[in-house]
């Protein structure tokens, strides 16, 4: 499909995170088309369960039938940079589906949202702030695309 989608919750508040995300998205755009959906987080929910449910509903509404949903989750698989590049190649070469990377809200995903995941991707065993997770994901995808293109950004 040669396109990547992103679904994130909440606007970036820190100038450094917004600048870093723009930097890696600019680099990524040299290799592939992308689109981003930024969903409103459900801060008004009365408790964590209600918040996850409300954000899960918004996430499911934002997903298309051809999205290969890759949820970022500490319980997911960590591929390493070259392994992620290989998976990225597989995902973007699928003519019927586009990889759609999702970073959920601070309390995780609802069971309904998790049921929609095709894969889970881990950035490591750490719990990361949303903004930092977004920067790391974008950098690793840029790195993966540069590996696939034979660009010298990645060093062994």
């Amino acid at each position: 499909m040669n396109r990547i989608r992103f679904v994130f919750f909440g606007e970036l508040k820190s100038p450094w995170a917004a600048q870093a995300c723009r930097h890696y998205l600019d680099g990524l755009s040299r290799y592939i088309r992308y689109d981003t959906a930024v969903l409103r987080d459900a801060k008004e929910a009365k408790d964590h369960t209600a918040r996850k449910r409300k954000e899960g509903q918004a996430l499911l509404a934002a997903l298309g039938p051809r999205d290969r949903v890759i949820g970022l989750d500490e319980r997911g698989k960590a591929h390493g940079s070259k392994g992620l590049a290989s998976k990225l190649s597989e995902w973007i070469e699928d003519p019927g589906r586009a990889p759609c990377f999702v970073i959920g809200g601070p309390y995780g995903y609802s069971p309904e949202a998790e049921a929609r995941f095709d894969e889970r991707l881990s950035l490591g065993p750490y719990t990361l702030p949303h903004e930092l997770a977004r920067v790391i994901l974008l950098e690793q995808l840029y790195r993966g695309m540069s590996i696939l293109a034979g660009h010298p950004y990645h060093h062994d």
Side-chain angles (χ1 to χ4, degrees), residues 45 58 64 80 91 107 125:
W91 294 330
Y107 300 104

Side-chain angles (χ1 to χ4, degrees), residues 81-155:
S81 295
K82 285 189 168 183
L84 181 58
S86 177
K87 289 298 286 184
L88 192 53
S89 175
E90 175 187 320
W91 294 330
I92 63 177
E93 290 176 14
D94 182 341
R97 303 185 77 198
C100 179
F101 295 89
V102 175
I103 298 179
Y107 300 104
Y109 304 101
S110 69
E112 297 81 13
E114 286 185 337
R116 180 63 174 81
F117 291 175
D118 294 292
E119 307 204 29
R120 292 174 189 266
L121 177 67
S122 172
L123 297 176
Y126 312 104
T127 300
L128 299 172
H130 182 91
E131 292 184 329
L132 186 55
R134 202 184 297 192
V135 171
I136 292 171
L137 171 66
L138 295 174
E139 189 280 335
Q140 284 299 298
L141 293 175
Y142 169 69
R143 181 177 297 274
M145 292 302 294
S146 71
I147 289 169
L148 295 175
H151 187 272
Y153 177 74
H154 179 76
H155 306 286

